[in-house]
Amino acid sequence: MKIAGLILAAGKSSRMGDDNKLMMPFQGKPMLSHVVDAAQSSNLFHVGVVVGYQSETIKRFILNQNVQYIENNNWETGMASSLVAGIGKLSQIDGYLIMLGDMPLITPDLINKIIDYGADDKIIIPIKNGKQGNPVFFGSDFREDLMALSGDVGAKKVIKENQSSVVEIEIQSNAIFKDFDTRDSLKAGVNVT
């Protein structure tokens, strides 16, 4: 299967104050760099990074040239616009792994475990102790559903409307829950492995 990793990195991260959280240092490099590096070291066929707020700064920070930058000119309208912008630019793909730019603890092994279950007609969600996390895989059958999203919501609506296609896989890592939205969470998370 040709599976694309779609990293959402277009938001303003207002809870972090004036700084763009994705560019803040985390264990020695910008938070977003960890996510991009994990995606590129995995078995993903292609990696796209959706940018919006401070897009030129983000592109300068992420020095790896093997990613496709996808501009979201409507980033202020919310997360759905990033999904629509990203998926709209990725054709001839069998599935999409939706990744969040503020989850730097995601590893290539975790990505591979999720996408190994991928199929055109499946939604793969990592869980730990019954709790759902990220990243989430959507097979190409859900492309139109994802493209129809709007507002400041992720893809939970698509998941809710397609429960019979959802496959939950048990993951032993808390990385599927660890996003960093505030300075305090980032400070606490720097020592997390």
Side-chain angles (χ1 to χ4, degrees), residues 75-182:
W75 63 268
E76 291 178 275
T77 64
M79 188 184 293
S81 64
S82 288
L83 288 166
V84 171
I87 290 169
K89 293 287 186 186
L90 297 173
S91 57
Q92 309 302 311
I93 293 294
D94 300 313
Y96 311 92
L97 185 69
I98 308 300
M99 305 176 69
L100 306 178
D102 64 354
M103 295 187 74
L105 299 176
I106 298 298
T107 65
D109 286 344
L110 195 153
I111 291 169
N112 291 342
K113 185 167 184 182
I114 295 168
I115 66 177
D116 281 350
Y117 287 86
D120 293 348
D121 61 346
K122 297 292 179 208
I123 297 171
I124 312 298
I125 303 176
I127 64 165
K128 183 176 181 187
N129 300 327
K131 185 178 174 190
Q132 295 183 340
N134 284 293
V136 175
F137 168 89
F138 293 87
S140 57
D141 287 3
F142 304 99
R143 178 182 167 89
E144 295 309 314
D145 293 341
L146 293 166
M147 291 291 291
L149 293 170
S150 63
D152 194 18
V153 295
K156 285 184 179 159
K157 178 182 180 204
V158 177
I159 294 169
K160 191 174 181 182
E161 292 173 353
N162 295 282
Q163 282 296 310
S164 62
S165 299
V166 171
V167 176
E168 294 181 331
I169 59 166
E170 188 72 31
I171 300 287
Q172 297 307 311
S173 170
N174 285 325
I176 63 172
F177 309 127
K178 297 286 184 184
D179 64 338
F180 298 97
D181 292 326
T182 65

Side-chain angles (χ1 to χ4, degrees), residues 44-62:
L44 289 167
F45 171 74
H46 181 77
V47 179
V49 180
V50 181
V51 294
Y53 177 68
Q54 295 184 341
S55 62
E56 293 308 314
T57 303
I58 288 175
K59 289 178 191 177
R60 281 197 305 274
F61 265 88
I62 308 303

